[in-house]
């Protein structure tokens, strides 16, 4: 389970008013919960070296996600990996509209692609949208998109997460 920050335009804008210090305290308060589940994951593997690594990597990954969230809470800050919105992850709205990202506009609809969302990825419209995302440099706090983007970045997976690198320690990433 991940903690999500409210994005977009909620009906009650006060829900988005959380100062950064309070957000950081929340992440610290959530740490024991994630460590608990990390230990359960490690124990599932008999508490051996493989289990210890899985526990360590699980918790480090969550801390990394929360660092990215916190850095993008008040303003857009480049992620240390390219955003994969519209390339490996899409949003399908209740009415069938398809968007590269929940904070961006409709690119197509399921009706237009024969109810096969996989046809939305290679479309010219989605290609233009992903190019526009790169140009707009619109970094967000959405854990699902952070998670999917991390999976596509060997440097983040095998270097930044295991070493506990903070987003602010890095130079802006190229998309």
């Amino acid at each position: 389970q991940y903690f999500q920050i409210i994005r977009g335009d909620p009906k009650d804008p006060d829900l988005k008013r959380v100062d950064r210090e309070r957000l950081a305290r929340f992440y610290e308060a959530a740490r024991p919960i994630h460590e608990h589940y990390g230990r359960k994951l490690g124990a599932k593997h008999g508490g051996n070296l493989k289990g210890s690594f899985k526990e360590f990597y699980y918790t480090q990954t969550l801390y990394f996600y929360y660092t990215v969230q916190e850095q993008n809470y008040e303003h857009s800050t480049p992620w240390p990996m390219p955003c994969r919105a519209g390339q490996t992850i899409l949003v399908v709205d209740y009415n069938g509209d398809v968007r590269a990202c929940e904070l961006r506009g409709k690119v197509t609809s399921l009706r237009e692609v024969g109810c096969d969302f996989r046809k939305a990825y290679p479309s010219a419209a989605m290609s233009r949208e992903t190019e526009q995302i790169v140009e707009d440099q619109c970094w967000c706090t959405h854990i699902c998109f952070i998670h999917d983007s991390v999976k596509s970045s060997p440097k983040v997976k095998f270097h930044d997460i295991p070493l506990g690198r903070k987003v602010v320690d890095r130079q802006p990433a190229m998309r």
Side-chain angles (χ1 to χ4, degrees):
Q1 297 295 319
Y2 304 121
F3 170 71
Q4 292 283 10
I5 295 174
I6 295 176
R7 300 163 307 281
D9 299 314
K11 289 183 180 182
D12 180 358
D14 285 339
L15 293 174
K16 288 182 78 170
R17 293 194 184 112
V18 176
D19 66 59
R20 201 154 164 193
E21 275 185 30
R22 188 170 177 200
L23 184 61
R25 286 193 309 270
F26 175 83
Y27 291 140
E28 282 303 313
R31 182 182 288 258
I33 296 166
H34 295 308
E35 289 171 349
H36 167 78
Y37 285 106
R39 284 189 299 276
K40 286 183 80 164
L41 179 64
K44 194 184 230 184
H45 295 278
N48 58 20
L49 185 59
K50 181 179 178 182
S52 296
F53 178 77
K54 285 186 176 279
E55 175 184 342
F56 168 79
Y57 195 82
Y58 171 83
T59 55
Q60 286 296 104
T61 300
L62 289 172
Y63 303 152
F64 179 84
Y65 293 173
Y66 291 155
T67 299
V68 173
Q69 264 191 342
E70 185 181 352
Q71 293 300 315
N72 284 276
Y73 178 63
E74 295 174 333
H75 55 81
S76 207
T77 301
W79 292 354
M81 67 277 179
C83 179
R84 302 295 292 164
Q87 299 168 54
T88 57
I89 186 170
L90 294 172
V91 174
V92 178
D93 290 331
Y94 70 95
N95 62 357
D97 287 351
V98 177
R99 299 183 279 156
C101 170
E102 67 177 7
L103 300 177
R104 299 185 64 88
K106 172 187 169 186
V107 175
T108 189
S109 76
L110 288 179
R111 286 181 190 87
E112 294 169 10
V113 294
C115 289
D116 185 351
F117 71 90
R118 294 171 296 179
K119 292 180 181 174
Y121 283 113
S123 72
M126 190 61 73
S127 180
R128 284 191 300 276
E129 178 67 359
T130 58
E131 289 171 13
Q132 191 63 49
I133 288 171
V134 172
E135 187 175 315
D136 292 347
Q137 296 287 295
C138 55
W139 310 96
C140 72
T141 62
H142 193 297
I143 292 281
C144 294
F145 285 80
I146 294 167
H147 173 76
D148 192 71
S149 298
V150 163
K151 290 189 325 184
S152 300
S153 175
K155 183 166 188 341
V156 170
K157 285 192 309 190
F158 302 119
H159 182 266
D160 294 358
I161 289 174
L163 294 178
R165 293 291 167 101
K166 302 278 187 192
V167 175
V168 293
D169 293 343
R170 307 232 334 147
Q171 295 297 314
M174 298 303 293
R175 287 189 180 210

